[in-house]
Amino acid sequence: MKNGARQTVLVAGGAGFLGSHLCDALLADGAHVICLDNLLTGRRVNLDHLQREPRFDFVEADVIHPLPPKLKAAKLQGIFNLACAASPPTYQADPEHTMLTSVVGTHSLLKLAEKTGARFMQASTSEVYGDPEVHPQKESYWGHVNPTGPRACYDEGKRAAETLCFDFERMGRADVRVARIFNTYGPRLPAEDGRVVSNVVNQALAGDPVTVYGDGSQTRSFCYVDDLIQGFLKLVAYEGAPIGPVNLGNPTELTINELVARVMDMTGSRSDVIRMPLPKDDPQRRRPDITLAGEKLGWAPRTTVEAGLRATIAWYAAELKQAEPAPRQRTAGAALSA
Ligand code: UDP
């Protein structure tokens, strides 16, 4: 998949945060994009600007069910599987569905890739490393996942999805690429998603208490969405020998306390910071080793945390402003009595 022009690609989960940005990038590259989404966590508003785009089609369906016949008949060059709720509160709301989305959904889309010959990209996750005992995390690390805990439906589902991908690859049934995505943020991450960046920025902007889970010493490494999407495009364009899973993320590691301090500073917020219990199995540290992506794909994130947060804060501020009730029109009666 060197050049998007004249390509038809399927983006499963295309109405979501990452999926909608990927649709935009593929369309900008000249591709015809078919977006498949069950709208469980994906949102139509993310695609509103594509309503009149002739190279864009939306199909509402759930990947755990048989794929719609029109998808099976499509001539596809690429399939991107981003279908799965991804924030802990959303994927834990229906854990059985989360697991099936990754396992049944990935299987079904891999079979579509086999049938059509489309190159397949799986959106995997740093969660495959669980609460890592190796730091930073390299692709060769097998991880430390609790298989029966509340995060398992997501972590183990994504691990099983990787297994399916590499079995299809070994058996010559599909040409697969697996991106292990580390924490990503930016415009269109829903305010109510429950992630730390969306929570903290929105709480700070609203003057509400900012919630820090645990003592805030746990770390994450935050990648700006545009950088990640460029990583996806480079991964599917890669023409070398199979490379296995590839970490995509920004290695700049912050404690949650440091993130909160930056957001407070950048928003000028005077919100209180309140401590909440640390969720079960919450990983203590996370930072990607992105050597492989650098060497094989020539990819590295370009956006500093400062610039990424600035753009994200501006987007949420605009969203909040739009949600504000419009100033009340003066009625004729009010005008008369004034
Ligand atoms: N977190 C927090 N306050 C929040 C939301 C999350 O302190 O309002 C913490 C959470 O416990 C975790 C980190 O921030 O340690 C990142 O959480 P997120 O849900 O964004 O991503 P994940 O845990 O999946 O990496």
Side-chain angles (χ1 to χ4, degrees):
M1 267 193 72
K2 266 201 165 349
N3 183 337
R6 291 178 305 279
Q7 306 264 11
T8 300
V9 296
L10 173 66
V11 180
F17 163 50
L18 298 180
S20 62
H21 283 283
L22 178 61
C23 289
D24 287 343
L26 291 164
L27 287 165
D29 205 25
H32 181 135
V33 176
I34 304 172
C35 167
L36 171 72
D37 206 296
N38 62 1
L39 299 176
L40 196 70
T41 55
R43 303 192 303 175
R44 274 186 194 277
V45 67
N46 289 340
L47 306 171
D48 273 355
H49 60 292
L50 301 177
Q51 262 172 13
R52 274 189 282 280
E53 170 55 66
R55 286 182 290 110
F56 182 76
D57 290 307
F58 178 74
V59 179
E60 186 175 343
D62 192 318
V63 291
I64 74 166
H65 301 307
L67 295 174
K70 64 177 160 187
L71 277 188
K72 289 193 175 160
K75 287 190 171 43
L76 298 171
Q77 283 77 42
I79 298 175
F80 293 82
N81 181 19
L82 286 80
C84 194
S87 89
T90 58
Y91 71 62
Q92 288 168 11
D94 188 348
E96 178 188 1
H97 186 265
T98 300
M99 187 84 181
L100 293 178
T101 299
S102 283
V103 180
V104 177
T106 303
H107 186 231
S108 180
L109 292 168
L110 276 167
K111 284 196 295 183
L112 185 62
E114 180 179 28
K115 180 170 167 275
T116 56
R119 188 167 282 181
F120 185 89
M121 197 207 84
Q122 170 68 10
S124 189
T125 168
S126 57
E127 299 282 349
V128 300
Y129 301 122
D131 192 2
E133 292 157 312
V134 169
H135 193 78
Q137 292 80 52
K138 266 186 185 305
E139 290 85 349
S140 53
Y141 176 50
W142 289 355
H144 181 224
V145 173
N146 175 355
T148 59
R151 295 176 83 104
C153 59
Y154 186 73
D155 303 6
E156 296 290 17
K158 289 284 187 179
R159 285 167 67 97
E162 286 202 12
T163 305
L164 281 168
C165 285
F166 291 111
D167 281 332
F168 267 67
E169 181 179 81
R170 260 187 299 274
M171 296 169 88
R173 296 176 65 184
D175 176 6
V176 308
R177 310 296 153 99
V178 172
R180 288 188 177 156
I181 304 167
F182 284 65
N183 296 66
T184 304
Y185 69 100
R188 300 189 196 151
L189 181 61
E192 64 285 0
D193 192 64
R195 306 288 182 87
V196 69
V197 173
S198 46
N199 276 5
V200 165
V201 170
N202 281 286
Q203 291 159 345
L205 287 174
D208 293 338
V210 169
T211 51
V212 171
Y213 302 165
D215 66 4
S217 66
Q218 71 272 33
T219 68
R220 294 293 186 274
S221 306
F222 298 99
C223 185
Y224 188 63
V225 61
D226 292 357
D227 288 337
L228 186 82
I229 301 299
Q230 286 310 309
F232 288 171
L233 298 182
K234 290 199 168 200
L235 183 59
V236 291
Y238 171 76
E239 296 291 350
I243 45 173
V246 179
N247 286 342
L248 294 178
N250 189 323
T252 308
E253 185 180 359
L254 295 176
T255 66
I256 299 307
N257 287 332
E258 285 166 344
L259 173 77
V260 166
R262 281 194 190 217
V263 170
M264 297 291 281
D265 187 45
M266 291 175 74
T267 53
S269 174
R270 300 175 69 178
S271 289
D272 293 330
V273 175
I274 56 165
R275 307 272 164 197
M276 311 262 288
L278 190 67
K280 182 163 164 37
D281 294 339
D282 197 274
Q284 186 56 34
R285 300 188 75 183
R286 189 183 288 150
R287 168 154 63 101
D289 181 321
I290 56 166
T291 311
L292 186 66
E295 283 174 5
K296 299 285 185 184
L297 312 179
W299 177 85
R302 293 189 180 158
T303 313
T304 60
V305 175
E306 203 69 21
L309 281 179
R310 203 178 313 119
T312 305
I313 290 167
W315 184 80
Y316 284 122
E319 289 283 293
L320 279 174
K321 203 161 175 202
Q322 219 179 3
E324 271 171 18
R328 238 193 292 153
Q329 297 282 319
R330 295 179 89 193
T331 61
L336 283 176
S337 61

